Amino acid sequence: MNTPQGCTNLKLRQLTRLVTRHYDHYTAAAGLKTTQYSLLSHVEKLGPIRPGDLARCMQMDASTLTRNLQPLVAQGWLVVGAGEDARSRLVEVTDAGRAKRAEGQRAWKQAQLALNARLGTEQVAALHALLDAGIACFDADANANAGDE
């Protein structure tokens, strides 16, 4: 049996940085960072959506989401408007945001195909399965502990 060597967190962070650089190289042609493309995609798919719900869906804390929303709102790709009551807000994609997301999707597709070619589609599929299983384990822990609060 193989015993893991080294720090899993460090290895994941290193891989994440390299993969992010790879995708950013492609999405930069559309004037987007990978994080911005992902945010636009989530809002287009789920919106209009409350910021807190969006943060949960993206596994991100609220302050990071707020910081990441600002440039997209400034560019006119997203709007943050009034929600159901005076205390709530809703994030929604604009027509310009839909067009920018479509442009970003073409760049993202090129990045994905290049990654598949570099690592091999079987390796990428195996990586996805491993990551999905890990995410499910942590989600199950989070859901089990939610009742403790």
Side-chain angles (χ1 to χ4, degrees):
M1 177 177 176
N2 285 341
T3 303
Q5 299 293 312
C7 176
T8 303
N9 183 54
L10 174 63
K11 289 177 182 289
L12 282 171
R13 290 177 62 90
Q14 287 173 329
L15 180 60
T16 299
R17 283 191 291 272
L18 291 167
V19 171
T20 297
R21 252 185 254 141
H22 170 84
Y23 278 87
D24 279 346
H25 171 77
Y26 286 87
T27 58
L32 290 169
K33 294 179 182 177
T34 304
T35 52
Q36 294 172 324
Y37 169 71
S38 180
L39 190 49
L40 276 173
S41 295
H42 274 82
V43 174
E44 184 171 6
K45 179 181 177 185
L46 304 171
I49 186 169
R50 294 183 312 196
D53 293 337
L54 180 59
R56 275 188 290 286
C57 287
M58 295 186 73
Q59 303 287 335
M60 149 185 315
D61 63 60
S63 63
T64 300
L65 176 67
T66 299
R67 198 170 44 255
N68 290 346
L69 284 173
Q70 291 170 349
L72 301 180
V73 170
Q75 289 289 335
W77 300 331
L78 295 177
V79 292
V80 180
E84 299 165 3
D85 58 45
R87 296 176 305 168
S88 66
R89 295 271 180 241
L90 290 175
V91 181
E92 194 169 358
V93 69
T94 64
D95 289 341
R98 281 186 192 83
K100 182 52 74 172
R101 185 200 167 273
E103 185 182 349
Q105 186 174 27
R106 290 187 292 276
W108 171 87
K109 179 76 170 175
Q110 291 176 329
Q112 185 65 51
L113 291 172
L115 185 85
N116 291 351
R118 186 174 204 163
L119 297 179
T121 54
E122 287 184 19
Q123 286 283 88
V124 173
L127 179 60
H128 284 205
L130 184 59
L131 293 170
D132 288 343
I135 290 166
C137 286
F138 279 96
D139 280 348
D141 286 350
N143 290 334
N145 293 330
D148 297 343
E149 296 172 358

